[in-house]
Amino acid sequence: MSGSADRLPRLLSLVPYLMSHPGAQVGEVAEVFGLSEKQLIDDLQLVWMCGLPGHTPGDLIDVSWDGGEILIDNADTIARPLRLGIDEASALLVALRMLAATPELAGVQAAGDALSRVVAKLERAAGEGAATVSSQVAFDVEAAPDALGRVREGLTARRRLSLRYYVPGRDEVTPREVDPTRVVVVDGRTYLEGWCYRAEAMRLFRLDRVLGVDVLDVPADPPAGAEPIDVTQGVFRPSPTDELVELEVSAAGRWVAEYYPCEEVAELGEGRLKITLRARDEEWIVKLALRLGDTGRVVSPPRMAETVREEAERALGLYAQQS
């Protein structure tokens, strides 16, 4: 019995094979792939549920094996290699560069070498435009390479930390004095939790935004009432004073309602949603709207919708310059 680790590459090979061998028999295909007929049919039942985003019948692969003859249709997309657009390649390159800069991987030479090779290959395949954009985005902030070690040193010695912390929403570096309480990993990112004397509250600080850390010769002494931050549902927690924003998203944008805390979610039909949530700042909602692209739009407040429109036009202008 093959495991799940073998199944994905097998499925990716199975679909092109069936596309090039219409009417192949179940027993014949099972023998080619070294499977029992039951295993092959299990794979075909999984293929039948795969396809493009939208998940309507017209988006899914159509496969049948009545009478032992396998027929497959609507699988042209998966049967041929795809090319990344400049926006997709840029996003992937930025994510890989951020991964390579995380404290967990910074000291692991094998992982760093593997990521460097992947980035280099992707840059060659994507072309100069995507590589340039990703470099500009990824290296605007140089995180302290020893941030995790210094933070752990402060935790072990129970000493206050002095941070230089980058706040992307305001594009500024702020000094912070923090009594550290723990290090947590949420959604693949490492955070320092502690009492921040600037905010006079418990805060989470992403370590890849910490530009410098000093361990002070001052005992860490958070207030008695300081409670750990609940990160079981993610890091983002809106405030009741944050501005209410209304979005309309298509079926492909429904992930917003699952990923972020929402005040209200209403079905609009055909898979669309009206989502009301609180925006911690305008910059955050603009980034969310640009990430949604044509799968969502800001409806209100009008001022924020106009800002999103202007930023989208500016971004398109930059892409036009790259092409």
Side-chain angles (χ1 to χ4, degrees):
M1 178 70 71
S2 60
S4 58
D6 304 319
R7 199 173 191 188
L8 178 58
R10 185 171 72 238
L11 291 174
L12 292 174
S13 300
L14 178 61
V15 172
Y17 180 87
L18 294 176
M19 290 288 291
S20 61
H21 295 79
Q25 296 293 311
V26 169
E28 169 195 334
V29 177
E31 184 177 352
V32 169
F33 283 85
L35 304 171
S36 68
E37 292 190 10
K38 181 182 182 303
Q39 286 177 298
L40 176 61
I41 290 173
D42 286 343
D43 282 355
L44 293 175
Q45 288 174 331
L46 182 57
V47 168
W48 186 69
M49 295 184 288
C50 299
L52 297 173
H55 309 296
T56 63
D59 299 316
L60 300 177
I61 295 174
D62 184 16
V63 61
S64 65
W65 52 94
D66 294 338
E69 182 182 69
I70 305 175
L71 298 173
I72 189 167
D73 194 17
N74 203 32
D76 293 337
T77 301
I78 197 173
R80 66 176 185 270
L82 299 179
R83 293 184 62 85
L84 293 174
I86 187 171
D87 54 342
E88 295 167 323
S90 297
L92 184 55
L93 282 165
V94 168
L96 288 171
R97 291 180 184 278
M98 290 179 64
L99 179 62
T102 57
E104 291 84 358
L105 292 181
V108 183
Q109 183 174 354
D113 291 345
L115 279 172
S116 297
R117 291 195 296 272
V118 171
V119 168
K121 289 180 180 179
L122 187 57
E123 285 179 342
R124 288 196 297 270
E128 182 180 352
T132 302
V133 171
S134 70
S135 299
Q136 291 172 344
V137 174
F139 293 112
D140 280 344
V141 176
E142 291 289 346
D146 60 345
L148 182 59
R150 301 305 300 274
V151 164
R152 285 179 171 161
E153 179 185 341
L155 278 166
T156 302
R158 298 179 182 272
R159 289 291 184 266
R160 186 171 300 172
L161 300 174
S162 174
L163 309 180
R164 291 176 56 245
Y165 189 69
Y166 175 68
V167 183
R170 300 193 298 271
D171 192 26
E172 66 179 12
V173 177
T174 61
R176 308 288 183 109
E177 288 199 1
V178 178
D179 286 343
T181 56
R182 61 174 176 162
V183 170
V184 295
V185 177
V186 185
D187 297 330
R189 298 191 184 279
T190 306
Y191 294 82
L192 161 67
E193 180 194 70
W195 178 265
C196 175
Y197 284 87
R198 180 188 178 101
E200 296 186 344
M202 292 292 287
R203 289 289 186 266
L204 290 168
F205 300 94
R206 265 177 52 173
L207 289 192
D208 60 346
R209 293 176 180 166
V210 173
L211 309 188
V213 187
D214 290 319
V215 181
L216 303 179
D217 191 20
V218 178
D221 186 24
E227 296 288 339
I229 298 172
D230 181 9
V231 295
T232 56
Q233 300 299 317
V235 172
F236 175 55
R237 286 290 179 272
S239 165
T241 60
D242 290 343
E243 187 168 20
L244 279 173
V245 177
E246 185 178 295
L247 305 172
E248 286 185 6
V249 300
S250 67
R254 293 174 69 95
W255 59 267
V256 173
E258 300 171 0
Y259 195 81
Y260 296 109
C262 299
E263 299 285 316
E264 185 179 349
V265 178
E267 294 282 352
L268 297 176
E270 299 180 343
R272 297 179 302 121
L273 291 179
K274 180 175 75 172
I275 299 171
T276 304
L277 49 72
R278 293 191 180 274
R280 55 194 173 198
D281 55 53
E282 187 175 273
E283 182 73 14
W284 179 81
I285 202 67
V286 168
K287 289 180 179 178
L288 175 60
L290 294 178
R291 181 181 175 189
L292 280 166
D294 61 1
T295 66
R297 67 186 184 96
V298 176
V299 177
S300 69
R303 168 188 52 79
M304 200 169 287
E306 178 63 18
T307 300
V308 170
R309 186 187 66 78
E310 292 173 354
E311 283 298 309
E313 289 180 350
R314 189 180 69 84
L316 288 172
L318 291 174
Y319 279 124
Q321 293 174 14
Q322 293 285 343
S323 59

